[in-house]
Amino acid sequence: MASAQKRSEEAPHRPGDKERQGADSTTFRYTNKRGYDITRNPHLNKGMAFSLEERLQLGIHGLLPPCFLSQDVQVMRVLRNFELQNSDLDRYILLMGLQDRNEKLFYRVLTSDIERFMPVVYTPTVGLACQQYGIAFRRPRGLFITIHDRGHLATVMKSWPEDVIKAVVVTDGERILGLGDLGCYGMGIPVGKLALYTACGGVNPQECLPVILDVGTDNEDLLKDPLYIGLRHKRVRGQAYDDLLEEFMKAVTDRYGMTCLIQFEDFANANAFRLLNKYRNRYCTFNDDIQGTAAVAVAGLLAAQRITKNKLSDHTVLFQGAGEAAMGIAGLIVMAMEKEGTPTEEAVKKIWMVDSKGLIVKGRVSLTHEKERFAHEHKEIRNLEDAVKALRPTAIIGVAAIAGAFTTKVIKDMASFNERPIIFALSNPTSKAECTAEQCYTLTEGRGIFASGSPFDPVTLPGGRTLHPGQGNNAYVFPGVALGVVACGMRHISEEIFLITAELIAEHVTDKHLEEGRLYPPLKDIREVSLKLAVKIVEHAYENNTASVYPEPKDKEAFIRSKIYNSDYDTFVVDSYVWPRDAMTIQMGKL
């Protein structure tokens, strides 16, 4: 058998584990682990799919029932259990338990029907899971770093057993989705994001690390909750907080290198912008709430142009919300308009924002630097309804997590002065959406161009026409971006990467998709979209000398495909048998 195999590069598994690729594409893994540890290691465990020879060689014969089940049969069993659960939270707990036991089976299940499982492992269920994390918590995943670990983060980083990490997703839990400060319960977000790194992008899960920076919480309910798993004191802010972040960034890159991707997730507005600006040119980092949301929203607008039959610079965009998501989207819209040839000042004037105090206008006191950019000359307006009536926008985008903000009046007014009004209710989870798909389509008589942050069911209008609302999910962005960035070893991620991302996503929306009401490719195609996005990013990196992996691969797509994680089970081979050969022969003869 050895002559039919060729040696591959050392696999990024635990020390002692190796892979070899057989001539028939079967992956052979060598491991120095034996016995009970094999069945309790999610990276190695195959459950009842271990062959008899593997069981004997690995010393696990007798630790498993004598039956042998293929991975496909195991998937069927998981699906049956999934269907028996009473709620999405129960389904979430079921899948997270599977991830803890059998990693390859977990990803095989997810990729078997990504459209079905994404709402469970990601939005909207992950929001509920974070709120109920004290109940859902089973086995810790990732690193829990606290404010009290300052000065020792290098040591804490060494607690993680993997020597090769290519991507880190980190949060401090202060602004989880639209749910606010969930403190240490926010760990569900990095775990969920990285699950999609693999399920949607093919990034090796053993090269990913979820991290929570626990600096306390200002959520009084959590501080009183006996099940709360985090620090029980108010949030630490100021210099101590900044020192923790500085030490964290250095500790990650000292251990895993300067090309290790660090994705910031669900930080509060006050920290999100300044941390991005502070670190974007020093490390390989991006903020998904600012830049990922921007890319997916602009992708939807670019796709919508094919319906409205005009340019992006012909639109007037009004935001409900002026936080990190709004600013990120607005900034990328300006870049897209500039690419069309619109001067920057003109592009900025096309964008308006409403925050908790009303329309952002020049002369209003206490405007942040980010808000000042989009403050225009206009009389003060106190609410969104009046702003829509006065400004007559062609597109409204909700990112303030105010449920029902797009009222009947707002939607009807949008339909009254736009033939095809663009209405994006992007706030997550579903309970925070500005309006439902049904409300948009019904109140606009089917003319509304709708997208949402969380999934909505198809809507059938009077007359029988069925529309499938487009889900502006960041999962179209961050898995593919991560795959491309880590594959070619980019050291910094420019804003141009996210405009490229938006354009590519929009290109994958067909005319048929648009007729169905979709502004994004179907979720079932998300792995292919992520692949094409990664290839585009790698091409851009080598063209602009921002890649660090050399020699430059000639076939970029083949290069990316070679990096994609395979959820098929490996075949285990060991160099010395635990069982004597004659005993193995007897057992195999009996079975």
Side-chain angles (χ1 to χ4, degrees):
M1 181 170 63
S3 62
Q5 299 168 350
K6 59 182 180 180
R7 192 152 187 82
S8 67
E9 61 182 350
E10 183 77 3
H13 304 302
R14 298 175 187 276
D17 294 349
K18 298 179 183 177
E19 283 184 352
R20 284 171 116 182
Q21 194 74 32
D24 61 353
S25 298
T26 301
T27 302
F28 296 90
R29 176 179 289 192
Y30 288 72
T31 180
N32 58 13
K33 290 183 171 56
R34 295 292 185 275
Y36 194 74
D37 287 346
I38 293 286
T39 63
R40 292 299 183 270
N41 185 320
H43 307 313
L44 303 177
N45 183 31
K46 302 197 298 184
M48 293 170 65
F50 283 108
S51 68
L52 177 60
E53 185 174 1
E54 288 174 322
R55 296 181 191 199
L56 294 171
Q57 291 181 14
L58 297 170
I60 58 175
H61 184 68
L63 298 181
L64 296 169
C67 184
F68 303 95
L69 299 181
S70 69
Q71 193 178 36
D72 288 339
V73 173
Q74 290 177 316
V75 169
M76 182 175 67
R77 181 166 59 186
V78 173
L79 294 181
R80 286 190 180 178
N81 276 287
F82 186 87
E83 291 163 358
L84 290 172
Q85 304 307 306
N86 294 320
S87 69
D88 281 343
L89 181 60
D90 290 336
R91 296 181 185 100
Y92 172 89
I93 292 172
L94 172 74
L95 292 177
M96 291 302 103
L98 177 61
Q99 187 180 22
D100 288 336
R101 295 191 310 274
N102 186 331
E103 191 170 70
K104 292 227 171 194
L105 183 58
F106 171 75
Y107 286 110
R108 172 58 69 86
V109 169
L110 258 58
T111 55
S112 70
D113 191 347
I114 193 68
E115 196 164 6
R116 180 183 187 186
F117 294 110
M118 186 187 293
V120 177
V121 299
Y122 191 46
T123 56
T125 307
V126 71
L128 176 61
C130 286
Q131 290 176 303
Q132 301 292 327
Y133 213 67
I135 296 172
F137 185 79
R138 295 293 186 273
R139 181 184 296 184
R141 299 190 65 84
L143 276 180
F144 294 79
I145 296 175
T146 79
I147 189 71
H148 307 305
D149 294 321
R150 279 182 304 155
H152 308 285
L153 262 59
T155 302
V156 176
M157 291 299 302
K158 291 177 183 176
S159 298
W160 193 248
E162 303 293 345
D163 293 323
V164 177
I165 291 294
K166 299 289 184 65
V168 172
V169 175
V170 59
T171 185
D172 69 355
E174 189 171 6
R175 194 204 61 83
I176 298 300
L177 302 176
L179 303 171
D181 186 349
L182 296 185
C184 205
Y185 281 178
M187 183 53 130
I189 296 297
V191 170
K193 289 280 183 179
L194 288 173
L196 296 191
Y197 264 47
T198 302
C200 300
V203 179
N204 190 326
Q206 289 175 251
E207 296 178 350
C208 297
L209 174 60
V211 177
I212 183 82
L213 298 178
D214 188 353
V215 298
T217 178
D218 292 336
N219 187 324
E220 291 293 342
D221 290 336
L222 293 183
L223 293 175
K224 297 173 184 176
D225 182 359
L227 299 180
Y228 183 57
I229 63 174
L231 295 178
R232 293 178 182 275
H233 59 63
K234 293 287 189 179
R235 281 189 171 270
V236 174
R237 304 185 185 277
Q239 192 60 49
Y241 178 92
D242 288 353
D243 289 346
L244 178 71
L245 266 294
E246 189 71 25
E247 187 180 353
F248 169 73
M249 300 296 285
K250 186 175 187 303
V252 170
T253 50
D254 280 352
R255 182 169 188 201
Y256 298 120
M258 293 302 294
T259 57
C260 181
L261 170 63
I262 303 173
Q263 175 182 325
F264 283 86
E265 191 67 40
D266 287 357
F267 284 72
N269 292 348
N271 290 320
F273 289 109
R274 68 184 190 86
L275 291 176
L276 176 61
N277 293 331
K278 182 177 182 179
Y279 292 123
R280 68 191 308 165
N281 295 320
R282 292 170 54 192
Y283 297 96
C284 179
T285 186
F286 73 97
N287 184 300
D288 185 52
D289 304 297
I290 298 173
Q291 297 162 292
T293 302
V296 77
V298 171
L301 291 174
L302 293 175
Q305 284 180 242
R306 289 159 54 191
I307 299 174
T308 58
K309 308 296 184 184
N310 56 7
K311 298 190 301 181
L312 193 57
S313 52
D314 293 327
H315 289 277
T316 298
V317 183
L318 176 62
F319 285 87
Q320 169 64 44
E324 56 202 86
M327 294 300 169
I329 298 169
L332 202 62
I333 290 174
V334 170
M335 281 188 65
M337 288 182 178
E338 289 173 331
K339 194 169 182 178
E340 290 180 342
T342 304
T344 303
E345 288 187 6
E346 282 187 34
V348 170
K349 289 178 181 178
K350 299 279 187 177
I351 297 168
W352 297 79
M353 294 186 181
V354 172
D355 64 9
S356 60
K357 298 178 181 177
L359 186 67
I360 295 176
V361 296
K362 283 191 179 297
R364 206 180 83 177
V365 296
S366 302
L367 287 178
T368 64
H369 172 72
E370 290 80 15
K371 290 182 179 181
E372 283 180 350
R373 185 185 186 195
F374 298 102
H376 309 308
E377 294 287 353
H378 199 282
K379 68 177 183 179
E380 290 192 4
I381 297 178
R382 297 299 300 170
N383 58 63
L384 180 66
E385 288 185 351
D386 292 341
V388 167
K389 187 175 181 179
L391 299 174
R392 299 170 69 87
T394 56
I396 53 174
I397 300 177
V399 284
I402 300 175
F406 293 170
T407 62
T408 298
K409 178 172 172 42
V410 165
I411 297 172
K412 284 190 170 182
D413 281 350
M414 286 291 294
S416 70
F417 44 73
N418 290 295
E419 178 61 29
R420 300 302 304 270
I422 298 172
I423 298 172
F424 285 6
L426 299 183
S427 292
N428 283 315
T430 310
S431 61
K432 299 291 184 178
E434 287 75 15
C435 70
T436 67
E438 184 175 10
Q439 288 168 337
C440 173
Y441 292 139
T442 301
L443 295 172
T444 63
E445 299 176 333
R447 294 185 287 115
I449 303 173
F450 180 80
S452 59
S454 288
F456 282 101
D457 292 331
V459 176
T460 300
L461 297 172
R465 182 188 177 200
T466 299
L467 295 171
H468 300 262
Q471 186 187 352
N473 197 314
N474 288 19
Y476 285 108
V477 177
F478 61 80
V481 168
L483 179 62
V485 165
V486 302
C488 66
M490 291 178 67
R491 288 181 177 270
H492 308 291
I493 304 174
S494 69
E495 206 66 25
E496 189 176 1
I497 290 294
F498 296 98
L499 184 54
I500 290 171
T501 298
E503 292 170 341
L504 183 134
I505 294 170
E507 287 170 7
H508 280 75
V509 180
T510 67
D511 291 341
K512 184 175 185 297
H513 295 152
L514 294 175
E515 290 172 7
E516 294 172 343
R518 304 181 192 271
L519 293 180
Y520 300 95
L523 283 174
K524 65 182 178 61
D525 298 333
I526 198 168
R527 285 176 65 86
E528 189 64 22
V529 173
S530 294
L531 171 73
K532 298 297 185 184
L533 174 55
V535 171
K536 192 79 170 178
I537 288 172
V538 169
E539 290 173 347
H540 179 271
Y542 283 105
E543 288 170 3
N544 291 273
N545 298 316
T546 57
S548 65
V549 172
Y550 286 94
E552 177 181 348
K554 292 182 180 179
D555 187 334
K556 306 294 193 300
E557 182 167 331
F559 171 67
I560 290 296
R561 287 189 184 278
S562 72
K563 303 291 183 182
I564 291 179
Y565 175 76
N566 187 348
S567 62
D568 292 343
Y569 284 143
D570 301 326
T571 296
F572 286 90
V573 181
V574 296
D575 296 324
S576 59
Y577 295 136
V578 175
W579 281 54
R581 290 263 185 188
D582 56 345
M584 183 188 303
T585 303
I586 292 170
Q587 290 295 329
M588 293 184 74
K590 288 180 179 178
L591 297 176

